[in-house]
Amino acid sequence: MHQTSFCFVCTHLTSGQKDGDELRRNADVVEILRKTRFPHAHGARDEKWPETILDHDRIIWLGDLNYRIALSYRSVKALVEMHNWKQLLEKDQLRIEQRFGRVFAGWKEGRIYFPPTYKYSYNSDRYAGDDMHPNEKRRTPAWCDRILWYGRGLNQLCYVRGESRFSDHRPVYSIFTAEVKLPSQAQFGSFTRSSSLMGVDELPYPTYPRSYTDINFY
């Protein structure tokens, strides 16, 4: 976007709530960061073209990250009923792994003020363990669905969950503002000549008084 690169990473990490499964999820993240490469765009002249995820200026990582809460089902259910998110988050595997620097070091996540997003009975507001069927596995409620970000210039305005019932997960969504660096006045003439296929609302305004503008992501 203008002179600022964005990268959106959507992943489904290894599932499971056994001890040690969080290490497999950590390994997934390491592999994704290590192996993902972006080929240089045809005709692009920028020598600083991002080749890896972390080369980008603004990065948002989202999806079913599958990190669980290291407590028993009954303990988690009791804390959920009390809306005691603080105590639950102290046992959240993702937060624990981040604190020890084993995954997503330097990444940010907004404050969580909503119930765990997994695992729900289909088409209901009940966690799957509340009314278990003979063939159903009990899963301790957890914040499996997350949105993280990395890089300067991103400001999170909200972080909430939706209440769609079509899955055993509840979706999460977020709104950000993002700073975008505009081309300098000297670059603007050549920029517009080569951008005839861009929409009018995508073109930078040449007399904008600041070097950055805000873009909203919904």
Side-chain angles (χ1 to χ4, degrees):
M1 179 73 70
H2 303 309
Q3 292 182 323
T4 303
S5 58
F6 288 84
C7 185
F8 297 86
V9 185
C10 185
T11 58
H12 185 179
L13 304 183
T14 297
S15 62
Q17 63 177 30
K18 300 188 302 294
D19 289 342
D21 282 343
E22 69 276 14
L23 303 181
R24 297 168 64 197
R25 294 185 266 276
N26 294 352
D28 288 344
V29 174
V30 171
E31 281 293 280
I32 291 166
L33 289 171
R34 184 176 70 86
K35 291 186 175 181
T36 304
R37 291 292 182 272
F38 298 91
H40 203 277
H42 178 70
R45 300 177 181 177
D46 189 356
E47 296 179 358
K48 296 182 179 180
W49 182 268
E51 295 182 356
T52 69
I53 291 173
L54 294 177
D55 285 341
H56 290 78
D57 299 311
R58 320 273 187 262
I59 311 164
I60 293 178
W61 192 308
L62 68 158
D64 181 2
L65 305 192
N66 254 320
Y67 287 94
R68 308 305 172 94
I69 296 173
L71 289 170
S72 69
Y73 180 88
R74 289 188 176 183
S75 296
V76 171
K77 277 303 302 298
L79 291 169
V80 168
E81 290 171 2
M82 292 186 288
H83 289 192
N84 191 339
W85 315 137
K86 183 175 184 290
Q87 192 168 341
L88 281 170
L89 285 166
E90 288 175 357
K91 295 296 183 177
D92 174 72
Q93 289 179 344
L94 177 55
R95 297 288 174 92
I96 292 170
E97 295 304 297
Q98 281 189 291
R99 281 199 299 270
F100 284 99
R102 291 191 284 256
V103 73
F104 288 118
W107 290 70
K108 298 178 182 178
E109 183 181 21
R111 292 187 178 184
I112 292 178
Y113 291 112
F114 49 84
T117 59
Y118 175 85
K119 174 182 170 70
Y120 281 88
S121 295
Y122 286 100
N123 198 29
S124 80
D125 293 321
R126 298 185 306 275
Y127 286 107
D130 294 346
D131 51 356
M132 287 180 60
H133 299 291
N135 296 328
E136 189 175 23
K137 294 181 180 179
R138 171 170 281 182
R139 290 288 182 261
T140 302
W143 287 287
C144 289
D145 309 279
R146 313 291 277 265
I147 302 174
L148 309 177
W149 75 93
Y150 188 86
R152 295 180 300 173
L154 285 171
N155 179 44
Q156 189 178 58
L157 302 182
C158 76
Y159 187 29
V160 295
R161 76 174 211 169
E163 297 304 325
S164 301
R165 295 176 176 177
F166 61 83
S167 169
D168 55 351
H169 291 253
R170 288 294 190 267
V172 297
Y173 65 93
S174 183
I175 298 175
F176 291 86
T177 60
E179 291 182 338
V180 177
K181 190 174 183 181
L182 296 176
S184 66
Q185 188 70 30
Q187 295 171 309
F188 183 74
S190 59
F191 181 87
T192 54
R193 284 195 297 273
S194 62
S195 305
S196 58
L197 297 180
M198 294 178 66
V200 172
D201 57 340
E202 295 179 274
L203 291 173
Y205 187 60
T207 58
Y208 195 80
R210 295 166 55 197
S211 59
Y212 287 85
T213 187
D214 286 340
I215 303 294
N216 290 322
F217 291 100
Y218 294 95

